[in-house]
């Protein structure tokens, strides 16, 4: 299945939201797009970072450098990667170094300096121009060899955002969030946008704070959060965390409820599971995810409990004693807001 992408509109055209988003999409779909087998990404060699290393059917090494905007130095970068990799001879079991190394530059356009540098290098460097086309609601990525005009294209799973239904009483979503939502379904987009609107409309003391490139937090700083949206590159989508009573503290009705950072697993706009993950994305996975993983990569003992030490989340019905519709994101948000207000 082809992976989704984070896009943004620029005038009448489209581009990837960032160079990282372009790299994510090419890496995830490299075999379908070009027939190349992905080997390694962001590989460090002698102080240089190669975007993508790949192989063809004969084990020939292909080095890819990707740019989301025009760049003057892509040929020089590829030359350094080539020299460093030949010196190091990395991945000798997979790569046949007796074959010439293929160098690929992928960018929306190529500066004239790229053409001059390529003209006077002894290496063979292919330039592939990347464009995004839209026909009705369908998007495609297209790569075109600038020398031969040969083209390759694959569909992009992107859902154009509709923010017309959001309230005019709150600020428009930050561009970072809009970038994240591009790879979500329309149902997922609206669920997250409605959650954001509910949170920001609840109390003027709740602020929207961006932390780095992967976290948007709602609340009163790190000390009093109520919601976190964290972008997970593995799935190319934001993950929702709410500060809710932990499942382990709900087990005993006489015990004081402990509020913790709870990750939500969703099917569209419906919440199916929840897990206590104090920081990061944790190690919890749905049973279906563990089953799909090769046995040798799974932990020997898939320990399950109601605590943060568990390898799997709990079903959302764990909260049925607190709210009538625990699988509703809106109901869980109301619960989180009530608990947040009690902590202020």
């Amino acid at each position: 299945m082809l992976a989704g992408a984070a896009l943004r509109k620029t005038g009448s055209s489209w581009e990837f939201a960032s160079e990282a988003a372009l790299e994510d999409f090419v890496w995830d779909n490299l075999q379908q797009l070009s027939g190349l087998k992905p080997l390694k990404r962001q590989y460090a060699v002698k102080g240089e970072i190669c975007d993508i290393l790949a192989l063809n059917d004969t084990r020939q090494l292909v080095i890819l450098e990707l740019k989301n905007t025009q760049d003057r130095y892509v040929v020089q970068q590829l030359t350094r990667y080539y020299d460093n990799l030949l010196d190091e001879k990395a991945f000798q079991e997979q790569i046949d170094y007796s074959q010439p190394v293929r160098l690929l530059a992928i960018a929306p356009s190529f500066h004239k300096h790229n053409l001059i540098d390529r003209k006077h290098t002894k290496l063979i460097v292919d330039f592939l121009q990347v464009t995004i086309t839209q026909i009705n609601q369908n998007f495609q990525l297209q790569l075109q060899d600038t020398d031969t005009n040969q083209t390759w294209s694959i569909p992009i799973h992107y859902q154009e955002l509709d923010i017309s239904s959001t309230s005019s009483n709150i600020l428009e979503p930050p561009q970072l969030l809009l970038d994240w939502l591009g790879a979500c379904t329309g149902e997922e987009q609206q669920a997250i946008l409605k959650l954001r609107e509910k949170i920001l409309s609840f109390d003027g003391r709740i602020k929207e704070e961006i932390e780095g490139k992967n976290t948007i937090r709602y609340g009163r700083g790190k000390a009093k959060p109520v919601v976190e949206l964290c972008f997970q590159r593995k799935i190319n989508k934001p993950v929702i965390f709410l500060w809710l009573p932990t499942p382990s503290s709900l087990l005993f009705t006489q015990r004081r409820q402990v509020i913790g950072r709870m990750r939500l697993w969703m099917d569209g706009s419906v919440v199916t599971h929840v897990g206590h993950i104090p920081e990061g994305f944790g190690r919890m996975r749905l049973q279906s995810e563990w089953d799909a993983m090769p046995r040798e990569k799974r932990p020997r003992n898939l320990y399950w409990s109601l605590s943060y030490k568990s390898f799997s989340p709990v079903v959302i019905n764990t909260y049925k004693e607190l709210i009538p519709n625990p699988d509703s994101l809106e109901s869980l948000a109301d619960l989180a807001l009530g608990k947040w207000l009690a902590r202020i």
Side-chain angles (χ1 to χ4, degrees):
M1 180 178 178
L2 296 176
L7 306 179
R8 65 170 52 163
K9 197 166 188 177
T10 56
S12 60
S13 61
W14 291 84
E15 67 179 15
F16 282 88
S18 65
E19 194 166 295
L22 170 61
E23 183 183 317
D24 287 340
F25 186 80
V26 171
W27 171 262
D28 291 336
N29 302 289
L30 186 61
Q31 199 141 21
Q32 298 95 320
L33 181 61
S34 64
L36 297 174
K37 179 182 178 181
L39 176 62
K40 192 73 175 177
R41 64 185 296 189
Q42 292 296 300
Y43 180 67
V45 52
K46 294 190 174 183
E48 305 277 0
I49 306 294
C50 307
D51 282 349
I52 293 177
L53 303 181
L55 301 173
N56 68 6
D57 292 338
T58 65
R59 298 171 54 219
Q60 179 189 25
L61 174 62
V62 183
I63 306 174
L64 294 87
E65 178 65 19
L66 297 93
K67 301 295 181 184
N68 202 38
T69 58
Q70 191 179 85
D71 181 273
R72 299 186 181 195
Y73 309 107
V74 66
V75 174
Q76 297 173 32
Q77 282 183 267
L78 284 167
T79 301
R80 294 196 301 271
Y81 302 158
Y82 168 87
D83 188 69
N84 293 339
L85 284 163
L86 284 188
D87 277 350
E88 189 179 86
K89 293 289 196 299
F91 307 106
Q92 292 191 52
E93 293 184 0
Q94 294 101 321
I95 298 170
D96 179 4
Y97 279 99
S98 68
Q99 298 188 59
V101 178
R102 185 182 175 194
L103 305 178
L104 285 181
I106 297 177
S109 61
F110 292 93
H111 193 276
K112 64 179 182 180
H113 289 181
N114 300 147
L115 303 176
I116 294 171
D117 290 341
R118 187 175 68 159
K119 181 179 178 181
H120 296 284
T121 183
K122 296 180 180 180
L123 304 176
I124 299 176
V125 184
D126 294 325
F127 288 167
L128 301 183
Q129 186 172 7
V130 58
T131 56
I132 297 169
T133 59
Q134 180 187 13
I135 302 176
N136 298 323
Q137 298 302 312
N138 299 318
F139 293 81
Q140 277 201 332
L141 176 142
Q142 179 177 288
L143 293 180
Q144 182 176 40
D145 189 308
T146 60
D147 298 308
T148 66
N149 291 326
Q150 183 179 1
T151 61
W152 303 263
S153 63
I154 55 173
I156 300 175
H157 291 174
Y158 176 80
Q159 177 70 42
E160 193 169 358
L161 281 163
D162 177 14
I163 61 173
S164 60
S165 61
T166 57
S167 171
S168 59
N169 295 325
I170 62 173
L171 294 174
E172 288 190 1
Q175 185 61 51
L176 183 63
L177 178 57
L178 298 181
D179 293 344
W180 294 352
L181 293 178
C184 298
T185 66
E187 191 177 15
E188 292 168 335
Q189 289 177 356
Q190 291 305 310
I192 291 175
L193 289 173
K194 288 179 180 178
L195 171 66
R196 175 183 179 270
E197 182 174 347
K198 173 181 278 291
I199 298 300
L200 292 177
S201 301
F202 180 75
D203 190 303
R205 293 172 292 180
I206 294 179
K207 304 301 180 185
E208 181 175 53
E209 299 177 339
I210 297 176
E211 183 177 300
K213 296 181 179 179
N214 298 310
T215 301
I216 302 177
R217 184 179 296 109
Y218 300 85
R220 294 185 68 184
K222 289 185 177 181
K224 300 293 182 181
V226 61
V227 178
E228 265 187 8
L229 300 177
C230 298
F231 184 75
Q232 188 173 25
R233 291 187 64 172
K234 184 177 180 180
I235 61 174
N236 204 31
K237 292 181 180 180
V239 172
I240 301 172
F241 294 87
L242 293 179
W243 267 257
L244 296 167
T246 62
S248 57
S249 70
L250 294 177
L251 182 62
F252 303 101
T253 56
Q254 295 180 349
R255 179 185 292 180
R256 181 177 65 86
Q257 289 182 1
V258 176
I259 305 301
R261 180 176 179 265
M262 309 299 298
R263 174 176 176 172
L264 307 187
W265 277 260
M266 302 184 65
D267 182 5
S269 61
V270 176
V271 183
T272 61
H273 294 77
V274 64
H276 182 200
I277 299 178
E279 60 182 7
F281 293 102
R283 64 184 181 182
M284 289 188 188
R285 288 179 171 84
L286 299 176
Q287 187 60 48
S288 59
E289 294 176 294
W290 287 121
D291 292 342
M293 185 179 296
R295 186 173 298 275
E296 63 272 13
K297 292 187 177 182
R298 303 179 208 167
R300 290 185 178 180
N301 178 22
L302 287 176
Y303 174 79
W304 184 90
S305 73
L306 294 175
S307 78
Y308 67 91
K309 296 180 180 180
S310 176
F311 279 94
S312 298
V314 300
V315 295
I316 196 59
N317 280 342
T318 303
Y319 288 87
K320 65 183 179 180
E321 300 298 327
L322 295 180
I323 49 178
N325 300 307
D327 62 348
S328 163
L329 181 58
E330 183 176 2
S331 296
L332 287 170
D334 286 336
L335 176 60
L337 287 168
K339 298 300 181 182
W340 176 84
L341 198 58
R343 303 193 328 263
I344 296 299

